[in-house]
Amino acid sequence: MARHRRQCSAEYKVKVVLAVLPGTSRAAEICRTHKIKPELLSRWKPEFLENAARSFEREQERTRIAELERRVGRLT
């Protein structure tokens, strides 16, 4: 019998990782609550932490692009 993998959205992964980050709940408890394997959470957490800084970089890029667009608008 073939097993089907559950596809988890990015929002769901973020929700689960954020639940374990403050340290108020144990990872095993979070995994039981959300019915995921601990190995999965162990993979999601470092990926989340690694990509968290990129969200701030994107914000800086958007601000820079907006400033450049304003300058172009003034020049034309």
Side-chain angles (χ1 to χ4, degrees):
M1 180 192 277
R3 294 187 77 178
H4 297 284
R5 288 188 171 184
R6 178 174 59 164
Q7 296 292 321
C8 299
S9 68
E11 291 83 14
Y12 179 76
K13 292 176 184 180
V14 168
K15 176 183 169 184
V16 173
V17 171
L18 287 176
V20 79
L21 282 180
T24 56
S25 299
R26 300 191 66 185
E29 183 182 335
I30 299 290
C31 291
R32 278 192 303 272
T33 302
H34 292 280
K35 297 179 181 161
I36 62 170
K37 292 186 176 185
E39 297 82 19
L40 201 54
L41 180 58
S42 295
R43 231 179 327 160
W44 292 351
K45 187 177 174 183
E47 184 179 341
F48 173 82
L49 294 173
E50 179 182 315
N51 292 321
R54 290 189 186 136
S55 66
F56 292 112
E57 291 171 0
R58 288 186 201 122
E59 184 61 35
Q60 290 174 343
E61 289 173 5
R62 287 186 206 120
T63 303
R64 178 75 177 139
I65 290 170
E67 175 60 31
L68 292 173
E69 288 174 344
R70 282 192 290 277
R71 287 183 185 182
V72 168
R74 281 187 236 136
L75 292 172
T76 55

